[in-house]
Amino acid sequence: MIDWENLKVLILDVDGTLYSQSRLRTKMLFALLKYYLVRPLQLKELLILYFFRSEREKRAGYCSNNLENEQYQWCAAKVSAPLKKIQAVVSKWMFEFPNPYLYDCRYPELYPFLQLVKKHQIKIAVYSDYKALDKLKELKIDADLVVASTDASINCLKPKPLALFYIMQKLEVRPEQCLYIGDREELDGACAASAKIRYLNINKRKAGSLYTGLTKSLENANKII
């Protein structure tokens, strides 16, 4: 049971929580194959994408003074490519090209839930390890606060809870007034636990059912609107 009456902030992860990553990855796989099969001399760029993600995954919970730049340096050490090249490839294939596909990969059941959340004057915060503003724009989701692990005010990857403390401070709420929804127990769940925030994990096969259930629960809540 969720105490909707006292809930002030809904915190959402992005990838895998707002849309189906498996559907997006299928679309991206075909796009990458189509692009690089006729450009074999550029196949090294696929290694850049692989090592950029894998090096980040190895450093869960990592904190620094300049995470935004360091993430590219980790990749550069693996592929011996200039930082500008790495940044360009990552920007194109991870932060730009996928965006037009996001809306088709969305969980449609999420939207009635978010509308009801706003109706109940519950604020929406979004927290992702990656920059999320452009993704939210494509998904047609408005948030009161958007935070990324690479923001200068955070500089810590999940599951370190620094971003959740930042959200609570900015929105002036306590942990018991928040609900965090994510898709990775070892990252999102651990992050929420460290901040003492209630957490719900998306079952990727039943994401729609979860959002539908939350909508019905909130509809039945005895809260004056």
Side-chain angles (χ1 to χ4, degrees), residues 59-97:
R59 291 170 171 82
Y62 178 85
C63 298
S64 76
N65 293 323
N66 196 342
L67 184 57
E68 175 65 27
N69 287 335
E70 282 191 47
Q71 61 183 342
Y72 297 107
Q73 293 170 358
W74 301 333
C75 181
K78 293 292 183 179
V79 298
S80 299
L83 282 177
K84 287 186 177 180
K85 174 68 174 179
I86 292 172
Q87 290 169 338
V89 171
V90 170
S91 179
K92 175 181 178 178
W93 289 110
M94 291 186 63
F95 302 143
E96 296 172 14
F97 189 87

Side-chain angles (χ1 to χ4, degrees), residues 56 60-61 67 70 77-78 88 93 123 141 191 196 210 223:
R56 261 175 145 260
L67 184 57
E70 282 191 47
K78 293 292 183 179
W93 289 110
K123 292 183 178 179
I141 293 175
C191 189
K196 302 187 184 306
L210 173 65
K223 180 168 182 178

Side-chain angles (χ1 to χ4, degrees), residues 6-23:
N6 292 314
L7 185 68
K8 303 298 181 184
V9 176
L10 172 68
I11 305 171
L12 296 167
D13 172 50
V14 178
D15 305 311
T17 300
L18 306 182
Y19 66 89
S20 170
Q21 272 192 307
S22 61
R23 289 181 62 189

Side-chain angles (χ1 to χ4, degrees), residues 2 7 21 24 31 82 101-102 106 112 119 122 128 132-133 135 155 160 164 184 200 204 208 217 222:
I2 296 171
L7 185 68
Q21 272 192 307
L24 180 65
Y101 298 102
L102 292 179
R106 74 196 186 283
K119 186 178 179 181
I122 298 169
S128 174
L133 284 172
K135 293 179 181 180
N155 272 320
K160 285 291 179 66
L164 297 184
R184 297 184 64 176
L200 291 179
K204 296 172 185 177
S217 175
N222 295 321

Side-chain angles (χ1 to χ4, degrees), residues 88-150:
V89 171
V90 170
S91 179
K92 175 181 178 178
W93 289 110
M94 291 186 63
F95 302 143
E96 296 172 14
F97 189 87
N99 289 353
Y101 298 102
L102 292 179
Y103 193 72
D104 286 339
C105 297
R106 74 196 186 283
Y107 294 125
E109 298 87 353
L110 169 66
Y111 290 78
F113 172 56
L114 293 183
Q115 289 176 357
L116 202 56
V117 164
K118 291 183 178 180
K119 186 178 179 181
H120 279 71
Q121 298 180 352
I122 298 169
K123 292 183 178 179
I124 298 173
V126 170
Y127 171 39
S128 174
D129 263 341
Y130 295 95
K131 300 289 186 182
L133 284 172
D134 289 340
K135 293 179 181 180
L136 295 176
K137 182 178 179 180
E138 293 292 338
L139 288 164
K140 304 185 189 307
I141 293 175
D142 294 322
D144 297 283
L145 181 62
V146 181
V147 179
S149 292
T150 53

Side-chain angles (χ1 to χ4, degrees), residues 21 25 48-58 94 130:
Q21 272 192 307
R25 284 171 179 166
I48 290 176
L49 296 174
Y50 170 77
F51 281 114
F52 180 79
R53 292 186 64 92
S54 64
E55 290 302 305
R56 261 175 145 260
E57 288 286 326
K58 291 177 184 178
M94 291 186 63
Y130 295 95

